[in-house]
Amino acid sequence: MFKYCFISDPVTLRLSTERGPVEGRVEVYHSGEWGNVCDDNFGVPDATVVCRQLGYLDPKSWFINKGKFWLDGLACRGTESKVQDCTHLQWGSNNCQLSEQVGVDCSE
């Protein structure tokens, strides 16, 4: 099950999950390919932006999953409307292990 947020620029965000629509691994569609967000520096402000971009309230929690990475070093202030507006390393540049995929549990 996926929760999609289609936006006007070429970046799409979704939660990949089997638990329900508000919780799952954070995936970003960029340059024609889905990838993950690394947990390096990921915290409450980052999870807040993810949840809000998907149309949810603030996050209840965030967690780590596994997979390919598009974003690393995500550093949101929490006020951004989209994750691509947050500071991050260059798209696809990362030093992440498969055990570092991040996920969120958003409030409806």
Side-chain angles (χ1 to χ4, degrees), residues 9 18-19 23 30 32 34 39 41 54 60 69 78 81 90 101:
D9 56 17
E18 296 176 4
R19 298 181 183 182
E23 179 182 358
H30 178 71
W34 285 103
D39 70 346
N41 301 319
L54 290 169
K60 292 189 276 185
F69 297 96
S81 59
Q90 184 175 356
Q101 279 187 326

Side-chain angles (χ1 to χ4, degrees), residues 33-83:
E33 187 175 3
W34 285 103
N36 300 291
V37 176
C38 187
D39 70 346
D40 292 351
N41 301 319
F42 195 92
V44 172
D46 310 291
T48 298
V49 173
V50 167
C51 290
R52 288 182 184 167
Q53 183 174 347
L54 290 169
Y56 296 124
L57 302 176
D58 291 340
K60 292 189 276 185
S61 63
W62 60 273
F63 52 91
I64 299 169
N65 257 306
K66 304 184 188 255
K68 173 186 169 60
F69 297 96
W70 266 127
L71 288 174
D72 188 12
L74 193 62
C76 299
R77 293 181 310 274
T79 57
E80 299 88 344
S81 59
K82 301 177 245 179
V83 292

Side-chain angles (χ1 to χ4, degrees), residues 7-8 16 31 71:
I7 52 183
S8 58
S16 172
S31 295
L71 288 174

Side-chain angles (χ1 to χ4, degrees), residues 1-4 14-25 54 56 63 104-106 108:
M1 170 182 280
F2 297 104
K3 167 69 178 182
Y4 290 94
R14 73 181 181 188
L15 296 180
S16 172
T17 183
E18 296 176 4
R19 298 181 183 182
V22 299
E23 179 182 358
R25 184 178 66 246
L54 290 169
Y56 296 124
F63 52 91
V104 297
D105 182 1
C106 303
E108 291 189 80

